[in-house]
Amino acid sequence: MAWTYIVECADGSYYVGSTIDLEGRISQHNLGAGAAYTRHRRPVRLVWAADFARIEEAFAFEKRVQGWNRRKRDALIRGDWAALPELSSRSWAALRARS
């Protein structure tokens, strides 16, 4: 089983990753052996995860979520699927809301 996950860092920022060993990967982040981004923002806390059949699928979703803004990631973490389309930076609703 593969995972895409989001951790919240000690500074409040999010880190998005993918792995085949979720528990081990979170532990690595907290031990300072994870990504350079989280190394200086410990401790991290798992706030969202989804499982995938293949690591390629988890990695593709990781890359997709990495491109999302903070509000869209917050909606994903809350499980607010209905809000995701309107929070897209390129959506017409988002553009009208900025005007």
Side-chain angles (χ1 to χ4, degrees):
M1 182 173 312
W3 298 89
T4 299
Y5 64 91
I6 301 175
V7 293
E8 183 176 24
C9 300
D11 65 1
S13 64
Y14 291 139
Y15 175 83
V16 181
S18 57
T19 185
I20 56 169
D21 178 8
L22 184 59
E23 189 174 308
R25 187 65 176 144
I26 302 306
S27 179
Q28 285 179 331
H29 284 299
N30 279 316
L31 292 172
Y37 184 85
T38 60
R39 197 168 299 136
H40 304 290
R41 293 170 172 84
R42 294 180 287 155
V44 302
R45 175 176 69 92
L46 181 66
V47 293
W48 180 87
D51 61 325
F52 293 84
R54 298 176 29 235
I55 190 63
E56 294 84 5
E57 295 168 345
F59 182 73
F61 195 70
E62 169 194 347
K63 293 304 170 190
R64 187 174 181 184
V65 174
Q66 284 176 344
W68 291 1
N69 61 42
R70 172 77 185 217
R71 293 182 316 157
K72 193 167 180 177
R73 289 181 189 183
D74 285 337
L76 177 65
I77 292 165
R78 287 191 315 271
D80 188 358
W81 296 100
L84 294 178
E86 71 184 42
L87 292 172
S88 295
S89 60
R90 295 184 182 139
S91 77
W92 286 109
L95 292 173
R96 280 193 301 266
R98 291 183 197 144
S99 306

